[in-house]
Amino acid sequence: MTQVLAARTADAALRTRASSVIPGGMYGHMNVAGMPDAYPQFMTAGEGSRLWDADGNEYIDFMCGWGPVVLGRKHPGVEAAVRAQLDTGDLLDGPSPVMVDLAELLVDLVPHADWAMLAKNGTDATTACVTIARAATGRRKILIADGAYHGAIPWCTPKAGGVLAEDRAHLGYFEYNDVASLEAAVAEAGDDLAGIIVAPARQELARDQEMGTAEFARAIRAICDRTGAVMILDDVRCGFRLDLGGSWEPYGVQPDLAAWSKAIANGYSLAAITGRESLRQGATGVYVTGSFWYSAVSMAASIATLTALRDTDALARMADAGRYLRDGLTVQAAAHGFVTRQTGPVQMPLMRFADDTAESTLARIWTNEAVKRGVYLHPVHNWFVCAAHTREDIDQALQRTDDAFAELSRLVG
């Protein structure tokens, strides 16, 4: 049954106020200025797999805070850990013992990890990995896949504003999943190669997702072993959603350093760097810190999150929900005469239309119609499934996406 959304008067008023005090009215990846008209800018509440906007409209949420929500919002175990830590203290004048507890848990869960460091954002973690690689090797060059996203700071941001050529003077580029291209970049870097940073999947906007192949992953590992460079796995987006030990564990490939964030604390702000014993001295020699990096509440949330992921069937439930959603959308698209492609892990799906325009016109219309009906999706960024998505949630979502396909057919037919 199609949901009728309330008029967005509160959202409109908030946008007007924001335009006076926030540059551009909003910034970053949650800015909906370029999105279709049904997307609200401001959200006020979330629980389980549901989300509410500033006008009280409810959505079945398939963005999960753009990845951090892995168990579902307001997960009882996580919230209990947060309340207990708040009663003790959050940001003290020294780290809480919970920091050691979490580092021990990370070393226990992640096969390559002999030590762990904690930060706040994915960019913190990837940048620390690059810095540690350079400190440990005494070299400068870092290789990165062309077009890859590793954060929002001058050395890796996708936007050129304020970025100097000097910020990227020691980066080299290769094509994702292309071993020959990688080898050419390695040869160009020569004896100055400090590290190779790579994500488990290619997940750029408005293109099919592409999982790293076993051949590609093993080639990076072999190159780093041969050259003494550091293999860095950027598991910020995929980590703890696909495999607790690391997203390339199924390939038998372990990095030297890994960056983690998003799903690490079920929505509480935290990131981590894990590394091998051989890099402990390099990690000790760099100065990385932040005003809120030692916040104990997020660390307590992380322990509760990772323990739940380890001790329950949450990972399997996410995979099951993702497959169920993918299969349902495939049937619906075909029934309405559309050819679609669904790519990436089922826990992080993306559906694109085979005959879409460069501007993703069909995807934008379809997701807009889905949002109007209370299903929150994105037209060009991968979605996220969490452990709180039940079969009933997916069934309800599919009823609404079927209506969205019917409306898309009417609009473009």
Side-chain angles (χ1 to χ4, degrees), residues 276-325:
R276 295 185 185 272
E277 183 62 36
S278 59
L279 294 168
R280 186 187 296 267
Q281 184 175 352
T284 303
V286 303
Y287 187 77
V288 290
T289 192
S291 297
F292 303 100
W293 280 26
Y294 301 90
S295 168
V297 166
S298 294
M299 296 178 193
S302 181
I303 290 173
T305 300
L306 297 178
T307 301
L309 291 172
R310 181 192 66 191
D311 295 345
T312 72
D313 64 345
L315 290 179
R317 283 186 282 123
M318 276 187 280
D320 179 72
R323 282 190 291 270
Y324 193 50
L325 176 65

Side-chain angles (χ1 to χ4, degrees), residues 267-279:
Y268 287 88
S269 53
L270 192 70
I273 303 99
T274 54
R276 295 185 185 272
E277 183 62 36
S278 59
L279 294 168

Side-chain angles (χ1 to χ4, degrees), residues 21-75:
V21 293
I22 298 172
M26 191 51 59
Y27 49 82
H29 64 291
M30 291 191 181
N31 185 359
V32 301
M35 296 291 284
D37 59 8
Y39 283 79
Q41 179 64 80
F42 293 93
M43 302 291 185
T44 57
E47 184 167 358
S49 63
R50 306 290 169 136
L51 193 65
W52 286 266
D53 68 20
D55 290 285
N57 296 305
E58 179 182 329
Y59 304 88
I60 303 170
D61 178 24
F62 291 107
M63 288 305 291
C64 296
W66 295 65
V69 177
V70 66
L71 295 173
R73 288 187 173 82
K74 297 174 69 172
H75 181 272

Side-chain angles (χ1 to χ4, degrees), residues 334-390:
H336 288 279
F338 295 102
V339 178
T340 58
R341 296 189 301 273
Q342 296 195 57
T343 58
V346 294
Q347 304 93 323
M348 304 168 67
L350 176 65
M351 187 187 78
R352 301 185 69 226
F353 291 80
D355 54 352
D356 213 345
T357 64
E359 295 76 26
S360 301
T361 302
L362 295 178
R364 291 171 65 85
I365 295 172
W366 179 77
T367 53
N368 200 46
E369 294 301 324
V371 167
K372 287 180 183 177
R373 292 160 173 79
V375 181
Y376 199 89
L377 301 161
H378 198 282
V380 296
H381 190 286
N382 74 271
W383 315 330
F384 295 90
V385 174
C386 74
H389 283 113
T390 65

Side-chain angles (χ1 to χ4, degrees), residues 134-208:
R134 285 172 167 155
T137 62
R139 305 171 186 175
R140 297 175 297 174
K141 302 297 184 184
I142 299 290
L143 301 186
I144 181 173
D146 190 30
Y149 180 77
H150 293 293
I153 201 168
W155 76 267
C156 58
T157 179
K159 299 293 186 180
V163 176
L164 306 178
E166 292 86 346
D167 294 322
R168 303 186 181 192
H170 296 294
L171 296 182
Y173 298 91
F174 59 89
E175 289 299 317
Y176 194 85
N177 265 341
D178 186 330
V179 175
S181 172
L182 175 61
E183 287 281 11
V186 169
E188 185 173 353
D191 294 337
D192 205 17
L193 179 60
I196 301 171
I197 185 168
V198 65
R202 186 171 188 171
Q203 296 175 304
E204 294 146 46
L205 297 179
R207 60 162 292 152
D208 292 349

